[in-house]
Amino acid sequence: MAASAPMPHGTGFPAEGRCGYYVEKKKRFCRMVVAAGKRFCGEHAGAAEEENARKRILCPLDPKHTVYEDQLAKHLKKCNSREKPKPDFFIQDINAGLKDETEIPEKLVPISFLSEEQMENLIKKLRKASEGLNSTLKDQIMSHPALHDALNDPKNGDSATKHLKQQASILGNIEKLKLLGPRRCFVEFGAGKGKLSHWVDIALKDAEKVHFILVEKVTTRFKVDGKHRKKNSVFERLQIDIQHLCLNKIPLLSKEKLPVVGIGKHLCGVATDLALRCLVETYAASCEERNEEPLAKRVKNDKTEKEINTLAKEGNEKNIPEKWTPVAGIVIALCCHHRCDWRHYVGKEYFRALGLGAVEFHYFQRMSSWATCGMQKTSLEASNISTKRKDKQNDGSEEHDDGGYRITDDSTESLPGFLNVEEKKKIGHLCKLLIDQGRINYLQQKGFNPALQYYTDPLVSLENVLLTALPNHSSSPETTA
């Protein structure tokens, strides 16, 4: 039997408890549930004859829905699109750095618009500023037993294996610096799914008092930190931009007073500078101000260095009054120098000492993408992979799927024709090195002993530089607690 035709407007009845408004376009009644004693849903009440006296307007917070005009004030207090109260650890622009409007020109032309003479002058400045810098970094490609089974899993694809190798090497470097131990708080910046913290937790096994703070500004799917149920480790995820994060306002840190280890895998351009300032200036400096007498000084008053070393060798950890510092170490895999920003950059002082400023920095950070320009795929392949990367970003993936080459993105501009591919790559690497050297100088000025090294093979990832730093009193990894 053929189905009956839809009821015309004004005839028939809507389903029980459903809106009585007939949708002409769909040739059926609205199926929205209505409030008790009402004939029409909220969306159609204004159009219905019995509700003509009350006007519905677009919500000013989100025009995708409407609200009764006479109930607007009440609605704004409970609307899901309202601005939520900020947590105590949110302090606007606390890690942003000083903004000097006079330094940054209003508009800088793209690299492709520069004349050959202008380009040559920039490259001369770059080479002069880079004189004396060691462009060949030390190889510190390592691994860790915690990832042995995962690395040898035959079900892994190329992408999974690539990321596991990087995580294993970062973990190996953390252990080499003697940062992989109990009574620490690991803060993972740009945490994404939280996989780096996941492996650190596995490597620590049953270590006491281990906390993890995972910082990520976007909502992330398929997180792994929620799967950890160990008694001795605590995971806390903060959805906040690093630019506004004040670590000493986090109850976990202010209560436990544990030394912090800042970690990150492929922390993009500006995020690295924000994370360094967050750790070194916002957190460490404020902790030192609160302490009337530094703990390291109290250690020397209580026990001699010889006694402390003897206790350490005996493994009597509970009785060791460590030379505690707020930030025990930093281990960050660097990435995407073309996404740096002069305002947030921590190496401004270093650049100024070389006679460089905001303009040079702008072009150097753009030119840094040339470091991988010789590895570009065809335009069709790049288009396909770029689409995949966008899909991964929508899934909240923190990983950079460079697959051994860098895909040209919006930041990469037309390259000058008077340079060949190899020359461009060398210039790109110099730009990256100079920007990273500014970070090294910044950490040195703040009382740290920093270093740059290659932590993975370029066939695994072209973004293969690891930044590490220890407080000066722990300059030798062997003496670091």
Side-chain angles (χ1 to χ4, degrees):
M1 182 176 177
S4 57
M7 292 287 185
H9 189 37
T11 62
F13 300 95
E16 186 177 352
R18 305 288 172 168
C19 178
Y21 184 82
Y22 189 82
V23 185
E24 195 68 43
K25 185 178 180 180
K26 297 184 178 180
K27 304 298 182 185
R28 62 168 174 79
F29 286 99
C30 171
R31 294 172 182 167
M32 294 291 288
V33 178
V34 296
K38 299 289 184 180
R39 275 189 60 203
F40 303 97
C41 69
E43 284 297 314
H44 296 127
E49 189 174 326
E50 68 182 50
E51 301 284 354
N52 273 343
R54 301 181 73 190
K55 181 183 177 183
R56 290 189 74 85
I57 59 172
L58 295 175
C59 174
L61 299 178
D62 183 3
K64 292 180 180 178
H65 65 272
T66 60
V67 60
Y68 284 120
E69 189 174 29
D70 58 358
Q71 290 188 340
L72 178 61
K74 181 180 178 181
H75 171 79
L76 292 178
K77 293 179 182 179
K78 60 181 182 180
C79 179
N80 287 335
S81 298
R82 73 190 185 282
E83 186 176 359
K84 307 295 190 298
K86 301 295 185 187
D88 290 340
F89 52 79
F90 179 99
I91 299 180
Q92 187 74 34
D93 293 332
I94 189 169
N95 302 314
L98 298 175
K99 189 174 183 179
D100 190 346
E101 302 287 358
T102 60
E103 283 196 11
I104 305 173
E106 290 185 9
K107 190 174 182 181
L108 292 167
V109 299
I111 289 177
S112 55
F113 284 27
L114 296 177
S115 67
E116 188 172 318
E117 183 182 355
Q118 288 174 313
M119 277 303 308
E120 286 177 343
N121 285 334
L122 274 174
I123 293 169
K124 282 180 183 177
K125 287 184 178 181
L126 173 67
R127 285 177 172 151
K128 183 179 179 182
S130 304
E131 286 177 1
L133 296 183
N134 183 11
S135 59
T136 304
L137 305 181
K138 184 179 179 182
D139 282 332
Q140 289 281 21
I141 301 174
M142 308 186 74
S143 192
H144 195 279
L147 287 94
H148 181 267
D149 291 341
L151 282 166
N152 292 287
D153 188 343
K155 295 179 182 178
N156 288 336
D158 291 341
S159 179
T161 301
K162 176 191 69 173
H163 292 303
L164 286 168
K165 284 181 178 179
Q166 293 175 71
Q167 288 154 353
S169 184
I170 294 173
L171 201 57
N173 276 278
I174 293 173
E175 185 173 56
K176 181 178 173 62
L177 295 170
K178 302 295 177 70
L179 295 172
L180 200 61
R183 298 189 298 279
R184 281 171 172 76
C185 179
F186 292 87
V187 180
E188 183 179 356
F189 294 95
K193 298 176 187 177
K195 289 184 179 178
L196 184 55
S197 292
H198 165 79
W199 291 115
V200 171
D201 188 46
I202 289 176
L204 286 168
K205 297 180 181 178
D206 296 320
E208 295 182 358
K209 276 196 173 183
V210 179
H211 296 269
F212 293 89
I213 295 175
L214 283 69
V215 182
E216 179 56 66
K217 70 176 181 179
V218 297
T219 304
T220 307
R221 299 169 65 192
F222 311 118
K223 299 183 286 289
V224 297
D225 40 294
K227 299 177 182 179
H228 292 265
R229 295 290 183 270
K230 284 161 62 174
K231 291 182 180 179
N232 295 328
S233 59
V234 177
F235 278 75
E236 182 176 356
R237 180 173 283 266
L238 308 180
Q239 188 176 336
I240 185 173
D241 192 318
I242 306 169
Q243 182 170 335
H244 314 300
L245 174 62
C246 182
L247 285 177
N248 53 23
K249 295 285 186 180
I250 298 174
L252 180 67
L253 285 177
S254 59
K255 180 182 177 183
E256 297 290 340
K257 301 246 182 337
L258 295 173
V260 165
V261 179
I263 59 176
K265 175 175 177 285
H266 283 178
L267 197 57
C268 286
V270 65
T272 295
D273 295 304
L274 295 173
L276 293 178
R277 192 175 279 112
C278 177
L279 290 166
V280 174
E281 289 186 43
T282 308
Y283 184 63
S286 62
C287 287
E288 288 169 4
E289 286 174 6
R290 287 202 305 266
N291 292 332
E292 293 181 7
E293 183 183 13
L295 189 55
K297 188 175 179 181
R298 294 202 298 273
V299 167
K300 292 182 179 179
N301 291 338
D302 296 338
K303 292 183 181 288
T304 66
E305 291 289 328
K306 187 175 180 181
E307 287 175 322
I308 293 168
N309 292 335
T310 302
L311 283 172
K313 287 178 183 177
E314 292 173 355
N316 194 356
E317 293 180 341
K318 292 182 180 179
N319 297 324
I320 301 175
E322 295 179 345
K323 290 184 179 181
W324 182 86
T325 53
V327 178
I330 300 169
V331 181
I332 294 175
L334 305 174
C335 181
C336 301
H337 294 71
H338 60 270
R339 296 192 183 277
C340 291
D341 182 272
W342 177 252
R343 180 193 174 185
H344 306 307
Y345 181 52
V346 295
K348 288 181 188 175
E349 186 179 320
Y350 176 75
F351 260 61
R352 292 186 187 118
L354 294 171
L356 305 173
V359 175
E360 289 82 8
F361 179 83
H362 170 81
Y363 287 116
F364 291 167
Q365 52 113 168
R366 305 297 284 186
M367 290 155 60
S368 70
S369 61
W370 295 0
T372 55
C373 68
M375 304 294 285
Q376 293 175 13
K377 293 285 184 177
T378 64
S379 58
L380 178 61
E381 290 173 314
S383 174
N384 292 337
I385 297 173
S386 294
T387 302
K388 290 179 183 177
R389 288 181 71 193
K390 288 179 182 177
D391 292 341
K392 288 188 71 168
Q393 288 168 359
N394 291 337
D395 279 346
S397 172
E398 79 277 28
E399 310 293 5
H400 289 251
D401 194 12
D402 50 23
Y405 55 83
R406 167 66 58 196
I407 297 302
T408 304
D409 57 22
D410 293 338
S411 71
T412 308
E413 304 178 44
S414 299
L415 307 174
F418 67 91
L419 296 170
N420 62 39
V421 169
E422 284 305 314
E423 287 172 334
K424 292 167 188 171
K425 286 171 64 178
K426 287 178 182 178
I427 289 169
H429 281 297
L430 273 183
C431 290
K432 283 176 173 284
L433 182 63
L434 191 65
I435 291 171
D436 289 339
Q437 192 60 38
R439 292 164 171 165
I440 292 290
N441 180 263
Y442 169 80
L443 288 168
Q444 289 172 337
Q445 297 296 322
K446 297 297 182 181
F448 284 80
N449 181 29
L452 296 169
Q453 52 263 313
Y454 294 123
Y455 77 99
T456 194
D457 193 281
L459 293 176
V460 174
S461 174
L462 289 178
E463 297 286 14
N464 62 340
V465 175
L466 189 71
L467 171 65
T468 62
L470 295 172
N472 272 336
H473 69 72
S474 302
S475 57
S476 169
E478 307 305 322
T479 62
T480 308

